[in-house]
Amino acid sequence: MSNKFRTGTLAIAIAAALGTTHAYAADNAGVTDQDVEKIVVVGSRAAPRSIADSPVPVDLIGGDELGRSGSSDMLDQIAAAVPSFNVRAQPISDAATLVRPVNLRGLSSDSTLVLVNGKRRHRASVIAFQGGGVNDGAQGPDISVIPSVALKQVEVLRDGAAAQYGSDAIAGVMNFVLKDDADGGSLSVKTGEYYAGDGTSTVVDGNIGMPFTEDGFANFSFQYKNADATSRSVQRPDAAGLAAAGNSAIQDPAQIWGNPEIKDDITVFGNIGLDLGNDKEFYMFGNYSERDVEGGFYYRNPHNRGNVFSVDGGETLLVGDLDGVGQGIECPTVNITSGNVLGQADYGLIADNSTAVGQNCFAFNEMFPGGYTPRFGGNIVDTALAMGTKGEIKGGMFDEALYDLSASVGRNASTFYLRNTVNPSLGPKQPLGNKFQTGSYIQLEKTFNADIVKSVDVGLEEEMSVAGGLEWREESFQIISGDKASWEAGPLANQGFSIGSHGFKGFGPESQGTNTRRSYAAYIDTETYFTDDFMIGAALRYEDFSSFGNTTNFKLTGQYSLTDDFSVRGAISTGFRAPTVGQASVVNTQTSIVNGDLIQTFLAPPTDPLSAFYGGKELNPEKSKSYSFGMVYENNGFFFTADYYNIKVSDRIAQSSQISVLAKDYNALRALGVQNPELISAVTYFSNDFDTTTQGLDIVANYGMELLNGDTQFSLAYNWNDTNVDKFNPATTSLGKVHRLEDGIPHHRGTFTIAQSWENVSAFIRTNYYGTYYATHADDTSDWGSQNASSAITLDAEVSYFVNDSITLSVGASNLLDQKAQRIKDSAYGVLGAKYYESGPFDYNGGYYYVKATYNF
């Protein structure tokens, strides 16, 4: 393959994926790899431009920079490079444990549009039911399946762009550009663990580029990862008290609080391009990813866990009559009068009994004398394929116009299970191994795009770039029911025992089904230079959805160069985020903590009779208005940008706070068809609950120089972000949730990196600053379970030695000085059994060290 094809199509590939090829197609002989690295396509549908010439702020993160992180997770690697991007691990958070939600500019994870090679990425099937406040109920793409070894670069547009790209682009756009080398490759092995001696992880990844005939490339990447669980637990006082009273079945710790175990995490990405001649090209890319994840749940106390061991807070033991109430031998009442009910005479010393509590009677203390802690896990399979053709039109009214026709499909399936738990209503007849498959969520998306861009002479300084296109999308969300034992009402359901697998009730037949939505869109996007120094752009997009109707949005951008080195820029736009099909139709039962008490909360669709009884309504799209302005300075190796942004979002969609299901409502709910309302402590649903204004400032600075007989690069990035809840519905949004939305993410965050390279050695050290924030645990915003957390500084460092041209050895650490996360109040240990709040902005596990060997060929 010729070098001309490789460098030329590299510029064209990242541009024409959005229908944006321009002058690069005419003459690419002078384009170098170094030049190409500096151009981006997000934010504009005209020719690719440098990040300094972009009228909106864009971060460009190269593949090498992504590797400068102790974490092997793509989310952590981006967070290390983009300070307005936040991500956190969430132990004991139901499905949010499996897919970690993210934030850009303080907005929810589904307010950022994710692209791969310029094409829309499908959502994850997992919805973050306990998403750390701002992400409660978010359903964004699973970025963590994209390995850094597959990437040439990542472009992060920090500006609203719904008028250009459609729904979700309220906070910005992230474009993951896959490698397209036609030769060479790499293979690396990386292993490490936390300073505490746990969480050992091993990552093997590789990349290979091959020619695809004489005029194309085929580039493939893989990553295989395993990571052990971590434990930042303390023994719960209630469990310690049971052990001290003589209960020998108590584990220490009774529950594990930490990162989940990740097993057999395998991802394969492919990227193929072929020059068809006559200025046309075929492209195809996609992935297959699968992983198993298992984490912990909360401990079930054998004296007082509601609807399993007791129904009166631990005054008496809950005893089930296996014959049925009023039939056969009446079961005894066992008053819990000591620290260990197992040793009481009225529990274990009744003569001639088949069980410890009486003949044909049953209490779960017999099965779990020390209580139990469920384990929650899932298998996640993610697949995607996109293909299309692009090139230049010859002749006619569209002569020399560039087109891009594409189709893509993406599917994400999550299958959940629980083990070491029970369906209390089944009594002693539990499934083998006390394991329940609780069902599956499947997200499926199909997209067709037709894009065209043409330069038109309108008598200005330069020709006007005019782009237009059509898009059709179909999105479906499917629920598959779990094993019968995970959802059925057993023989003890009418005796106070809860129904379904405890901790995460299986999806029943009534929940099973597929909901589908279709949409089509048309857009026009123009951009031109009025003078050598003044550029302006405008975009208009119409989109129609089968569920809620249509919306029209616009965007205006401009940049003015005051000198050759200094320019100012700005943008104003409207936007929207359509409610996902999953948010409109999902059902789930979860365990929540409210004022320190574990309760079963049922999430129902907003139009379900239960939700509707408590105010649920059909979802509408979020609407946004945003503006930004900033400056760019670039001179002699120094690059500096500062951008202010203001984003107003109305009718924001989120999961409501827990709404108590009251005893006075039971009869009315039964009349509406709600089954067993007495076993539902609270209900939540998705709703358009509140309006917010988010404002902030991004500062990015880079400077390169020769220092210490080597090349030195200084990089500074800072973000100030402030969110204010302007209006909310107090019936569905609590004051605690408002506090989390406004203060749950640090208002100030910054990174400063020094990278140094010599002939045989390279190194970097990064300082990360996190400002104060509101810390909560398990979504409990009471004074008991939350507090204002202190600011913190962490350090990351790595040193690499180039043995030869092919072999590189690296050693490094993240959180080098083992900065501790915010510790939980002593008063909260009794229920939480954890050392740190889960809502912190950096890894609560502490310092992590690693070694890595890379072979390049």
Side-chain angles (χ1 to χ4, degrees), residues 77-153:
Q77 293 165 349
I78 296 175
V82 182
S84 58
F85 183 87
N86 289 273
V87 62
R88 62 188 70 180
Q90 295 193 189
I92 313 184
S93 293
D94 290 337
T97 303
L98 309 182
V99 178
R100 299 165 61 197
V102 301
N103 309 102
L104 182 65
R105 285 187 160 177
L107 296 176
S108 63
S109 62
D110 46 12
S111 293
T112 299
L113 177 63
V114 175
L115 310 174
V116 174
N117 280 358
K119 302 301 180 184
R120 177 182 286 265
R121 180 73 176 173
H122 61 278
R123 304 180 191 277
S125 55
V126 169
I127 300 175
F129 300 120
Q130 296 178 1
V134 68
N135 283 314
D136 289 344
Q139 187 186 5
D142 184 5
I143 304 173
S144 65
V145 304
I146 308 174
S148 60
V149 70
L151 294 175
K152 176 175 176 54
Q153 64 189 39

Side-chain angles (χ1 to χ4, degrees), residues 796-809:
D796 304 328
E798 181 181 280
V799 178
S800 296
Y801 174 66
F802 306 105
V803 179
N804 51 43
D805 290 341
S806 299
I807 299 175
T808 303
L809 303 177

Side-chain angles (χ1 to χ4, degrees), residues 655-660 683-685 689 731-737:
Q655 184 181 2
S656 70
S657 300
Q658 290 86 2
I659 304 170
S660 297
V683 63
T684 67
Y685 53 84
D689 263 356
T732 54
T733 298
S734 67
L735 290 174
K737 184 171 183 176

Side-chain angles (χ1 to χ4, degrees), residues 103-111 133-136 138 170 577 583 619-624 647-656 686-694 723-727 732-733 737 741-742:
N103 309 102
L104 182 65
R105 285 187 160 177
L107 296 176
S108 63
S109 62
D110 46 12
S111 293
V134 68
N135 283 314
D136 289 344
I170 288 179
R577 185 180 78 78
Q583 290 171 333
L619 294 176
N620 293 310
E622 298 178 354
K623 299 179 181 179
S624 69
I647 309 168
K648 294 182 179 293
V649 186
S650 59
D651 296 327
R652 281 185 63 169
I653 302 167
Q655 184 181 2
S656 70
F686 288 95
S687 61
N688 298 93
D689 263 356
F690 50 94
D691 302 343
T692 61
T693 298
T694 299
T723 294
N724 183 71
V725 177
D726 304 320
K727 183 179 69 175
T732 54
T733 298
K737 184 171 183 176
L741 288 164
E742 294 184 336

